[in-house]
């Protein structure tokens, strides 16, 4: 089978890039012909080891944000669609914008099956809701709301209607997709490169307990909840320390808010912002920390959760993170309400004070990832959806 995997950018690191590249490598090992299509490519800034041996076609340009960004984005999508091999059997767009490329190929070149790995619902309506969740005092002018709804309608009619199969990483986003698009959607669980995150057996948290959070800086990460939890823990006599790893340049306003909070609470000596880290540094951080915090709100999945579990680090996860759907409270994770520093602090205190539970979650987390979260299983499921889409065209 000749598969075109379409990814908006391969010049950055992220869950979408890991997912698409691991799928490409697995499909290639199974004898499929795979080509990746992207707007921007920089192996050194992405995952050079995952790109090795893969055929990549890059447009070399991507429109900048601005008033006309939707129109220039559509133009770029048409150009990339024109670069796709006409003998392609399956289109597999990943995440945002890539589904537009697939739609243009089907309209202008050949009508073939398209399986969209949606990840997050890309509508502007959902973006508004997430913005209001992060910043409740946000006021969006009526004319912008109207424009967003018109653009969402256009996207549904022109680009999304032609997707044969829509895939989400969690049940919440699956439901949202069906509501937004009026089409059936399916859930597929992502994989983890657990061999890259070696397991270290742990029987208890160290003193002081070292907490870790990781992710590109965006408001839905809720780093502030982890910082406030540290303050609460220290007030209870548990001298917790926190490291936050992630690129602060993605949302400088939010990063500044986090830095200000650390300063206001007088936590500069115990909360460290590590900035953007390499894969090797991230592996070391998992090894050197005791508990991983993931208070992310309305996050579609949460790859970092399973990387931490693979490393043997017990995890505290928000109920509104997609990862929570597959985890069991007090077994593979401690699951807490969203936006609740007190609940996070209580969960950390339990793990610190109950070595038996700590050791059980450390060992069970790795076993869960090995048995349920492989890229091989993800590829098995994706091939089934390829077959489902192909049957619609028979």
């Amino acid at each position: 089978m000749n598969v075109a995997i379409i990814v908006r950018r391969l010049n950055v690191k992220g869950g979408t890039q890991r997912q698409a590249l691991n799928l490409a490598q697995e499909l290639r090992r199974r004898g499929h012909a795979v080509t990746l299509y992207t707007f921007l490519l920089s192996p050194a800034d992405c995952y050079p080891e995952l790109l090795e041996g893969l055929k990549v076609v890059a447009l070399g340009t991507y429109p900048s944000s601005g008033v006309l960004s939707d129109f220039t984005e559509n133009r770029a999508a048409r150009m990339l669609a024109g670069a796709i091999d006409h003998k392609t059997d399956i289109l597999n767009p990943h995440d945002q914008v890539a589904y537009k490329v697939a739609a243009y190929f089907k309209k202008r070149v050949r009508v073939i099956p398209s399986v969209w790995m949606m990840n997050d619902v890309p509508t502007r309506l959902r973006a508004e809701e997430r913005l209001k969740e992060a910043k409740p005092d946000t006021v969006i002018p009526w004319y912008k709301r109207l424009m967003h709804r018109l653009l969402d309608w256009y996207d549904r009619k022109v680009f999304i209607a032609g997707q044969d199969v829509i895939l989400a990483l969690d049940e919440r986003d699956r439901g949202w997709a069906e509501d937004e698009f009026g089409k059936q959607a399916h859930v597929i669980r992502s994989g983890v490169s657990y061999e890259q995150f070696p397991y270290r057996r742990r029987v208890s948290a160290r003193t002081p307990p070292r907490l870790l959070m990781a992710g590109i800086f965006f408001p839905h990460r809720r780093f502030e909840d982890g910082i406030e939890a540290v303050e609460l823990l220290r007030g209870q006599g548990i001298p917790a320390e926190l490291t936050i790893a992630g690129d602060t340049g993605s949302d400088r306003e939010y990063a500044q808010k986090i830095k200000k909070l650390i300063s206001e609470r007088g936590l500069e000596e115990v909360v460290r912002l590590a900035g953007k880290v390499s894969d090797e540094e991230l592996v070391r951080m998992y090894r050197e920390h005791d508990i991983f915090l993931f208070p992310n709100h309305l996050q579609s999945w949460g790859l970092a959760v399973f990387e931490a579990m693979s490393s043997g680090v017990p995890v505290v996860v928000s109920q509104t993170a997609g990862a929570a759907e597959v985890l069991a409270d007090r077994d593979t994770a401690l699951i807490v309400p969203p936006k609740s520093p007190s609940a996070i602090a209580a969960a950390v205190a339990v793990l610190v004070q109950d070595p038996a539970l700590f050791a059980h979650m450390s060992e069970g987390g790795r076993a869960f990832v090995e048995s349920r979260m492989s890229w091989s299983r993800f590829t098995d499921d994706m091939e089934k959806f390829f077959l489902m889409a192909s049957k619609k065209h028979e």
Side-chain angles (χ1 to χ4, degrees):
M1 186 180 293
N2 190 346
V3 183
I5 296 179
I6 310 165
V7 188
R8 176 169 48 165
R9 299 173 65 185
L10 288 175
N11 66 335
V12 293
K13 293 184 177 183
T16 295
Q17 287 73 24
R18 279 190 187 274
Q19 178 179 272
L21 293 173
N22 276 288
L23 173 63
Q25 291 287 8
E26 283 287 337
L27 288 171
R28 191 168 70 104
R29 279 191 281 270
R30 298 180 187 200
H32 298 289
V34 180
T35 304
L36 286 133
Y37 296 90
T38 186
F39 294 101
L40 297 172
L41 171 67
S42 175
D45 296 315
C46 190
Y47 298 102
E49 71 285 358
L50 289 177
L51 281 160
E52 188 174 348
L54 293 175
K55 181 181 179 182
V56 183
V57 175
L59 190 62
T61 183
Y62 187 75
S64 58
S65 59
V67 177
L68 299 176
S69 60
D70 284 285
F71 303 102
T72 54
E73 183 179 274
N74 293 348
R75 180 175 178 272
R78 285 196 300 271
M79 293 171 63
L80 188 55
I84 296 177
D85 183 357
H86 290 196
K87 296 180 181 179
T88 296
D89 300 310
I90 289 280
L91 299 165
N92 181 217
H94 285 245
D95 206 24
Q96 300 184 31
V97 186
Y99 65 90
K100 295 184 177 184
V101 179
Y104 278 126
F105 182 90
K106 294 181 71 167
K107 181 178 180 180
R108 293 168 173 260
V109 184
R110 284 179 61 221
V111 178
I112 61 173
S114 181
V115 177
W116 177 27
M117 184 66 251
M118 179 185 70
N119 294 342
D120 295 293
V121 175
T123 62
R124 295 152 189 85
L125 174 63
R126 293 296 169 192
E128 286 179 12
E129 292 176 353
R130 290 183 69 170
L131 179 61
K132 289 179 180 178
E133 282 280 349
K135 301 177 180 179
D137 57 344
T138 298
V139 177
I140 301 173
W142 68 267
Y143 59 87
K144 281 193 175 182
R145 296 200 305 271
L146 176 60
M147 179 60 69
H148 289 168
R149 278 144 187 78
L150 288 172
L151 290 170
D152 282 345
W153 172 85
Y154 182 81
D155 277 3
R156 284 194 298 270
K157 183 177 179 62
V158 175
F159 303 118
I160 295 171
Q163 303 303 316
D164 298 284
V165 175
I166 298 175
L167 302 177
L169 291 167
D170 63 282
E171 290 291 347
R172 181 187 58 238
D173 277 83
R174 180 198 60 77
W176 281 349
E178 292 187 345
D179 291 342
E180 292 279 341
F181 308 141
K183 293 170 67 73
Q184 184 179 14
H186 307 268
V187 170
I188 184 172
R189 304 299 188 184
S190 191
V192 178
S193 302
Y194 54 80
E195 66 281 354
Q196 295 180 11
F197 299 93
Y199 173 70
R200 183 175 74 80
R201 184 173 180 270
R202 304 155 196 259
V203 295
S204 64
R206 286 164 285 197
T207 302
R210 303 185 67 186
L211 315 181
L212 177 64
M213 304 176 79
I216 298 171
F217 272 58
F218 286 116
H220 72 277
R221 305 286 187 196
R222 302 291 304 178
F223 290 137
E224 60 268 35
D225 293 346
I227 294 166
E228 292 181 14
V230 166
E231 183 180 38
L232 291 170
L233 286 162
R234 296 182 73 84
Q236 298 165 15
I238 299 175
E241 299 177 356
L242 172 64
T243 301
I244 303 175
D247 185 359
T248 60
S250 52
D251 189 326
R252 297 187 187 281
E253 180 183 351
Y254 179 62
Q256 194 59 40
K257 171 185 173 181
I258 293 301
K259 292 175 183 177
K260 182 180 179 182
L261 178 63
I262 294 169
S263 176
E264 288 176 345
R265 302 300 172 91
L267 297 172
E268 296 96 329
E269 297 299 316
V270 294
V271 177
R272 181 173 74 95
L273 300 183
K276 186 177 181 179
V277 300
S278 68
D279 290 347
E280 293 76 16
E281 290 172 312
L282 184 59
V283 169
R284 177 180 56 78
M285 285 181 168
Y286 286 133
R287 186 172 63 248
E288 294 177 350
H289 288 76
D290 302 299
I291 299 168
F292 185 75
L293 307 182
F294 197 78
N296 298 33
H297 183 46
L298 300 181
Q299 170 95 23
S300 61
W301 186 233
L303 186 60
V305 171
F306 302 104
E307 293 174 347
M309 291 169 64
S310 177
S311 305
V313 183
V315 297
V316 177
V317 181
S318 165
Q319 288 174 340
T320 56
E325 291 183 358
V326 300
L327 300 173
D329 190 36
R330 298 185 68 85
D331 184 17
T332 48
L334 291 185
I335 299 174
V336 296
K339 303 181 180 181
S340 179
S342 61
I344 295 170
V348 171
V350 166
L351 287 169
V352 169
Q353 297 164 0
D354 189 343
L357 178 62
F358 184 99
H360 171 77
M361 287 177 54
S362 174
E363 185 176 349
R366 172 69 183 203
F368 176 89
V369 170
E370 285 191 6
S371 63
R372 299 273 299 275
M373 306 301 298
S374 72
W375 289 114
S376 177
R377 180 209 48 77
F378 175 73
T379 306
D380 288 343
D381 292 342
M382 189 64 78
E383 286 183 314
K384 293 174 185 176
F385 287 116
F386 286 171
L387 181 60
M388 177 190 294
S390 297
K391 287 183 176 179
K392 294 183 178 183
H393 286 257
E394 290 179 352

